[in-house]
Amino acid sequence: MFRPDRPGTPWKYRNRRRRCDPHCRLDNYNQVVGCLVQLAEPIDFDAIDGAPVDLLFVLLVPTDACDEHLQTLGNLAELFSQTEFRQQLRSATSGEELLAAAIHYKVNN
């Protein structure tokens, strides 16, 4: 899933917001599953801008769910483009707080 040498890999899918969205499609899989991770210490994730990553959202998608995959990535991009959203995630001190920050946030347009 995370091979930087493979064409089309999500490895470089990150930006100056210190987050990463690794994702892959799986055969014989029937639902979209995501996992939000807040790292205690940022890591070098070979980001294009060189910034360390401290927020991860891992996304597993069925192979044939192209539309749902793209829609989910778009929704994640919209959320993570919001400075306040990222700040709320980073201020969480437990898994429960991280989940609450993620699900109760209202996108600012």
Side-chain angles (χ1 to χ4, degrees):
M1 171 163 70
F2 304 119
R3 288 190 41 202
D5 57 330
R6 260 178 94 187
T9 182
W11 190 260
K12 295 286 184 190
Y13 188 77
R14 61 199 138 279
N15 58 27
R16 290 181 285 269
R17 294 181 178 97
R18 295 181 14 228
R19 59 102 168 139
C20 178
D21 305 318
H23 55 281
C24 74
R25 294 186 185 174
L26 299 173
D27 292 330
N28 302 318
Y29 199 70
N30 60 6
Q31 63 184 1
V32 174
V33 175
C35 179
L36 177 61
V37 179
Q38 176 189 37
L39 300 175
E41 296 291 327
I43 59 170
D44 178 8
F45 210 69
D46 196 28
I48 293 168
D49 64 1
V53 170
D54 66 344
L55 295 172
L56 303 170
F57 192 95
V58 179
L59 184 62
L60 306 174
V61 182
T63 301
D64 60 351
C66 296
D67 291 341
E68 191 172 5
H69 185 195
L70 293 176
Q71 180 67 41
T72 303
L73 286 175
N75 291 342
L76 288 170
E78 174 65 25
L79 277 171
F80 280 96
S81 72
Q82 303 289 317
T83 301
E84 185 180 344
F85 178 69
R86 296 188 314 272
Q87 288 173 341
Q88 287 182 17
L89 295 180
R90 290 186 174 114
S91 68
T93 59
S94 69
E96 292 81 13
E97 286 182 18
L98 185 65
L99 177 61
I103 63 175
H104 296 297
Y105 182 77
K106 303 290 186 211
V107 175
N108 299 323
N109 291 324

